[in-house]
Amino acid sequence: ILKVIKKHWFLHAHRFPFDQVYSNVKVTVYDIRGRTITVLVNGYEAAGYYTIQWNASAYPTGVYFLQLVTPYFNETRKIIYLK
């Protein structure tokens, strides 16, 4: 099991409006060709710290991209998965 992100990755990088307690969050893993591998989170999340795990054991070694999308912030990070 590969520990992919902690929620502070995006909460640290962007300040939400004062009254923003919940936000729609989507975290998706893509392969090198841009195909969706899996959606790890898709829904409303309360502000706070979370750990999201992706069990990548069924996928080959390679480069993947982890994308976080909220109404206020987008970020994509590269993951190099080695078995």
Side-chain angles (χ1 to χ4, degrees), residues 12-79:
H12 173 73
H14 178 78
R15 255 189 211 151
F16 289 102
F18 181 75
D19 61 347
Q20 188 69 35
V21 178
Y22 290 88
S23 183
N24 191 29
V25 175
K26 186 172 184 179
V27 179
T28 309
V29 178
Y30 297 95
D31 68 10
I32 193 73
R33 295 182 179 170
R35 295 178 296 199
T36 300
I37 297 299
T38 188
V39 176
L40 300 174
V41 176
N42 189 14
Y44 283 87
E45 296 289 337
Y49 293 91
Y50 297 86
T51 299
I52 300 169
Q53 293 186 351
W54 173 40
N55 184 349
S57 62
Y59 300 100
T61 295
V63 175
Y64 294 89
F65 295 93
L66 183 70
Q67 181 182 50
L68 166 83
V69 177
T70 75
Y72 307 101
F73 180 75
N74 291 320
E75 186 171 342
T76 302
R77 292 202 177 175
K78 181 169 64 173
I79 300 171

